[in-house]
Amino acid sequence: MSELEVVVEVRGTLGRLTLNRPRALNSLTAEMVRVLDSTLSRWERDPEIACVLVDGAGERGLCAGGDIRAIYDAALVGDPAPKRFWRDEYRLNARIKRCARPFVALMDGIVMGGGVGVSAHGSVRVVTERTRIAMPEVGIGFVPDVGGTYLLSRAPGELGTHAALTAGQLSAGDAIRCGLADHFVPSDALGALVEDLAGASAGEVDALVRRYAQEPPPSVLETERGWIDECYGADDVAEIVRRLQATGVDGARQAAEAICAKSPTAVKVTLRALRNARALSSLEECLEQEYRTSCALLFSPDLVEGIRAQVVDKDRDPQWKPALLDEVGADIVEKFFAPGDDELGLSTVRECDD
């Protein structure tokens, strides 16, 4: 691999985008987002490109998300740079969703946060036996973004709510069941799949991937749908926790413990965002909402504290403010959804691109 953060390659009819920061588990930078967006825009207009593919360099995974240490440094000094990053990133997520070419995402290994945004909105999403997908934002005082609320709110029953509030990891089987992926392909077959895609027409892509696909492993979450749907059916986080604790099921008890360890503000805002997202008709509308919540959270105490505890000092002992779910009132939650002076404006993106 070269030292470019994104390796851009054309092989036959295939345009390949490889995230190339393996030491950082291919975490996204502002420059990577710009390269992905501009290249995708150019390839959509290139008649020689029949298919676009995104994958990650190294053996650990596609992408671990955005560079949260950079967000931490900016938040400490009141730098609004993360807002610019999110604006570009969310617009990229929307472009991927409406890409005029088949967009194949190889979701091998770890796929978290921003990694979900550059893959799970694609038209052909491939997972492997090594796949571990998560939206872990509540663990750092943040809320699922990059279209995560759009995806998770549309998972069967309350599976998406469970994944969002616990920040739990999804296996290949879970990801397919939750609607975040389409096909299971063994990791050792990915190289041959890429080679074949280099000679495929747009109309052949889906059938070609299906030839490599195998029966996915069973979804563990699906076997737990009974208590998940019952407990997460509540529209209040404290009530969800009470239901989980009352089931007598080990998995439910562990879920309650996981939720209670997260930022009380973040989990309450997340539940509200997911419920809102169910009523929104498009990814763009969900991204608009996520941009509001992200910008509002940027200078909140929990985001800085959560990143400090998980990434900077690594003591894994965040001191959330407020510290308890009951201390996060509806008025606190509401302010994270209020329109701001800086709106995303995704409704105009397609008009500008056409």
Side-chain angles (χ1 to χ4, degrees), residues 18-30:
T18 300
L19 309 183
N20 190 36
R21 297 182 68 214
R23 291 184 180 180
L25 226 169
N26 300 319
S27 295
L28 296 172
T29 65

Side-chain angles (χ1 to χ4, degrees), residues 16-17 28 47 51 56 63 65 68 78 88 91 97 101 112 158 168 199 214 234 250 261 272 283-284 294 297 322 349:
R16 183 176 184 178
L17 297 163
L28 296 172
C51 173
C63 175
I68 60 174
D88 291 343
R91 291 189 173 208
K97 174 70 172 178
R101 303 284 186 271
M112 295 185 178
E158 298 293 342
Q214 298 182 6
D250 284 344
R272 165 73 180 277
L283 170 62
E284 284 84 356
S294 296
L297 284 160
V349 171

Side-chain angles (χ1 to χ4, degrees), residues 163-186:
L165 297 187
T166 62
Q169 294 187 2
L170 304 179
S171 66
D174 290 334
I176 291 174
R177 184 68 185 102
C178 288
L180 273 68
D182 305 299
H183 305 289
F184 175 81
V185 176

Side-chain angles (χ1 to χ4, degrees), residues 98-252:
R98 54 184 171 80
C99 183
R101 303 284 186 271
F103 188 99
V104 179
L106 301 187
M107 304 170 77
D108 184 34
I110 293 174
V111 185
M112 295 185 178
V116 174
V118 298
S119 59
H121 300 303
S123 55
V124 184
R125 305 162 299 177
V126 175
V127 287
T128 76
E129 76 283 355
R130 297 167 5 111
T131 296
R132 294 295 180 270
I133 298 175
M135 297 298 293
E137 286 80 3
V138 292
I140 59 166
F142 201 53
V143 172
D145 64 339
V146 298
T149 60
Y150 175 84
L151 295 163
L152 295 176
S153 67
R154 285 156 174 76
E158 298 293 342
L159 295 184
T161 310
H162 171 69
L165 297 187
T166 62
Q169 294 187 2
L170 304 179
S171 66
D174 290 334
I176 291 174
R177 184 68 185 102
C178 288
L180 273 68
D182 305 299
H183 305 289
F184 175 81
V185 176
S187 58
D188 60 7
L190 295 180
L193 171 59
V194 173
E195 289 294 325
D196 282 353
L197 285 172
S201 67
E204 296 171 331
V205 170
D206 194 64
L208 193 158
V209 174
R210 289 180 184 278
R211 288 204 294 271
Y212 281 88
Q214 298 182 6
E215 185 71 21
S219 167
V220 174
L221 287 184
E222 179 61 27
T223 67
E224 300 174 333
R225 275 284 299 278
W227 63 262
I228 287 177
D229 287 356
E230 170 61 27
C231 294
Y232 289 94
D235 288 329
D236 176 73
V237 177
E239 175 60 22
I240 288 173
V241 170
R242 284 191 287 270
R243 292 184 184 184
L244 290 168
Q245 293 170 333
T247 62
V249 177
D250 284 344

Side-chain angles (χ1 to χ4, degrees), residues 305-321:
E305 174 62 9
I307 299 175
R308 179 206 63 77
Q310 296 296 329
V311 177
V312 181
D313 297 336
K314 299 181 181 180
D315 58 25
R316 307 294 192 269
D317 186 28
Q319 303 301 305
W320 307 120
K321 296 179 182 179

